[in-house]
């Protein structure tokens, strides 16, 4: 037997939730006492046996949060599912270290703007940096032989 709170008939209306796993306690004294005390404000349900779910397998290292960042981890523009961090680079004469990956990963296939969030792991809500610049891609559907 478990007690909790269940929604009632209207907004801001609640009832006592009584959940019973075994049909035998349904007629027990504690259950009858709950029924009497709540005066009709009871959401009572037989739910059967409850078992814990199997644990979810852990994600591979490259899909987990990594600090410091490592090559091969999942990263992505906020509008992109995810991709792979390919490298760290510096512009000639600058001390700043930048992330390097494909245009579709960090620049959302030419749709991004400087300042857009870059996430790690990709498709998460953990911003690691913002887009500084990207090289526009001009793709052609023509196949070369």
């Amino acid at each position: 037997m478990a007690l909790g709170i269940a929604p009632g008939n209207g907004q801001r209306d609640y009832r006592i939730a009584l959940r019973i796993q075994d049909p035998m306690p349904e007629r027990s004294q504690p259950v009858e006492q709950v029924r009497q005390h709540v005066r009709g404000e009871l959401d009572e349900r037989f739910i059967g046996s409850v078992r814990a779910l199997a644990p979810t397998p852990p994600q591979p290292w490259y899909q987990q949060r990594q600090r410091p960042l490592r090559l091969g981890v999942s990263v992505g523009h906020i509008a992109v599912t995810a991709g792979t961090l390919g490298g760290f680079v510096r512009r000639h004469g600058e001390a700043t270290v930048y992330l390097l990956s494909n245009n579709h990963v960090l620049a959302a296939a030419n749709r991004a703007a400087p300042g857009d969030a870059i996430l790690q792991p990709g498709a998460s809500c953990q911003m690691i940096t913002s887009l500084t610049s990207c090289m526009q891609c001009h793709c052609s559907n023509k196949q070369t032989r």
Side-chain angles (χ1 to χ4, degrees):
M1 175 174 94
L3 290 174
I5 299 173
N9 295 327
Q11 190 175 4
R12 296 184 185 203
D13 181 30
Y14 301 96
R15 304 168 69 104
I16 298 295
L18 175 63
R19 303 297 182 251
I20 302 170
Q21 294 183 17
D22 184 354
M24 293 307 291
E26 195 171 345
R27 292 179 230 112
S28 69
Q29 183 181 4
V31 171
E32 284 303 319
Q33 288 176 335
V34 169
R35 287 182 183 134
Q36 290 172 6
H37 280 75
V38 298
R39 299 183 187 101
E41 297 294 321
L42 183 65
D43 181 347
E44 182 178 336
R45 297 181 193 182
F46 174 71
I47 59 171
S49 64
V50 177
R51 284 177 257 123
L53 295 174
T56 57
Q59 291 181 315
W61 70 268
Y62 53 86
Q63 291 179 344
Q64 297 175 17
R65 183 180 188 269
Q66 297 291 327
R67 301 296 182 273
L69 293 174
R70 297 175 15 185
L71 297 181
V73 298
S74 170
V75 294
H77 181 273
I78 194 163
V80 173
T81 305
T84 303
L85 173 59
F88 300 101
V89 296
R90 287 192 178 119
R91 291 182 179 162
H92 184 70
E94 290 186 21
T96 304
V97 176
Y98 298 93
L99 304 181
L100 177 69
S101 188
N102 289 312
N103 179 289
H104 69 274
V105 174
L106 297 180
N110 296 333
R111 295 187 312 269
D116 286 358
I118 305 299
L119 311 176
Q120 197 287 314
S124 73
C125 53
Q126 301 197 3
M127 182 174 165
I128 54 169
T129 189
S130 61
L131 184 68
T132 304
S133 64
C134 67
M135 182 177 282
Q136 294 289 311
C137 289
H138 303 287
C139 301
S140 169
N141 289 335
K142 297 178 185 177
Q143 293 182 351
T144 56
R145 295 180 194 240

